Amino acid sequence: MLEVKNIGFNVKSDADGQPLEIIEDISFTLDDGKFLVITGPNGGGKSTLARLIMGIEKPTSGKILYNGEDITNLGITERAKLGIGYAFQQPPRFKGLTVRRLLSLAHGSELPEDECCSYLTQVGLCSMDYLNREVDSSLSGGEVKRIEIATLMARKLGLAIYDEPEAGIDLWSFSMLVKSFKSISSSCNESVIIISHQERIMQLADEIIVIADGKIRSQGTKDEIFPTLMGEFDRKCELHGEKEAE
């Protein structure tokens, strides 16, 4: 179980040196095996919150607990050892390291070829084309993103955090990812947090949190929040159409 309690995060403003609130008094609980989507307008603090949970950034107030343990001051390595994983918007590249070796490192032991192929297939990659390729600049951004998601699947995590996994991925591969997330959600006891604006990903969620201006604007079950979000989208489209007609 993940418990985020009154988390705040601020940075000093370049203008006057005063604290600038990025995240303000956010609290929520994510039970084991649940699928949470965090959405909201760009610049609202979604990715910052994800980095705080992973330990990439440290909160300036509040606490984060994982399975009852206070992890607020733990670093990335310690949190990874506890079973928390993170997929970046812009994944790193590793010249000289093959995809198969990277999957085995993520798993913690040498993975048989068929298992490596299974993880790659789940993210929409032909295993024979990628298994022995290096994770370097010869791969596109979308390919590296999918390989990173496959490494998280190989780790067998307790909590997986995906920051906009759909970015840079073609529609066919995105459909494969949606199926993979659905499989994780239904068959594993792994908790999942996804930062996303995608309707198809939000439809998989057990819960949705909407963040704007560093605060939780709304939170609840998918059935409670999703229709409201779609209603807002429809109203914005109508207003845009009225302006175009003027």
Side-chain angles (χ1 to χ4, degrees), residues 44-60:
K46 305 181 299 298
S47 292
T48 299
L49 177 59
R51 292 196 296 269
L52 289 168
I53 294 170
M54 188 64 235
I56 299 167
E57 304 281 2
K58 288 192 176 181
T60 49

Side-chain angles (χ1 to χ4, degrees), residues 119-170:
Y119 290 125
L120 292 175
T121 300
Q122 287 182 68
V123 296
L125 295 176
C126 176
S127 55
M128 291 299 99
D129 290 342
Y130 288 91
L131 204 59
N132 295 310
R133 286 186 66 177
E134 293 186 8
V135 190
D136 58 15
S137 59
S138 67
L139 296 172
S140 70
E143 289 170 328
V144 176
K145 172 70 74 71
R146 282 178 276 174
I147 289 166
E148 183 185 44
I149 293 171
T151 64
L152 260 67
M153 293 177 174
R155 283 187 58 194
K156 308 294 185 183
L157 298 167
L159 170 62
I161 305 166
Y162 299 89
D163 194 352
E164 297 194 21
E166 69 273 11
I169 294 179
D170 60 81

Side-chain angles (χ1 to χ4, degrees), residues 3-60:
E3 299 172 82
V4 175
K5 297 185 175 183
N6 307 110
I7 282 296
F9 178 71
N10 61 57
V11 296
K12 287 186 178 180
S13 170
D14 291 336
D16 54 15
Q18 295 299 311
L20 177 64
E21 293 289 340
I22 307 298
I23 296 292
E24 186 175 348
D25 195 29
I26 285 182
S27 297
F28 66 88
T29 298
L30 180 63
D31 291 329
D32 293 341
K34 294 296 183 180
F35 194 120
L36 169 67
V37 171
I38 299 176
T39 191
N42 290 333
K46 305 181 299 298
S47 292
T48 299
L49 177 59
R51 292 196 296 269
L52 289 168
I53 294 170
M54 188 64 235
I56 299 167
E57 304 281 2
K58 288 192 176 181
T60 49

Side-chain angles (χ1 to χ4, degrees), residues 206-208 218-229:
D206 295 303
E207 300 175 16
I208 296 175
S218 58
Q219 66 184 116
T221 65
K222 175 191 66 179
D223 293 338
E224 292 170 337
I225 304 299
F226 187 72
T228 303
L229 291 175

Side-chain angles (χ1 to χ4, degrees), residues 1-3 52-55 57-59 63-76 78-79 82 84 159:
M1 175 187 289
L2 175 71
E3 299 172 82
L52 289 168
I53 294 170
M54 188 64 235
E57 304 281 2
K58 288 192 176 181
K63 289 185 177 182
I64 301 174
L65 284 77
Y66 183 62
N67 292 334
E69 178 181 349
D70 188 343
I71 64 170
T72 310
N73 296 313
L74 295 185
I76 299 171
E78 289 82 3
R79 297 188 198 205
L82 292 174
I84 303 175
L159 170 62

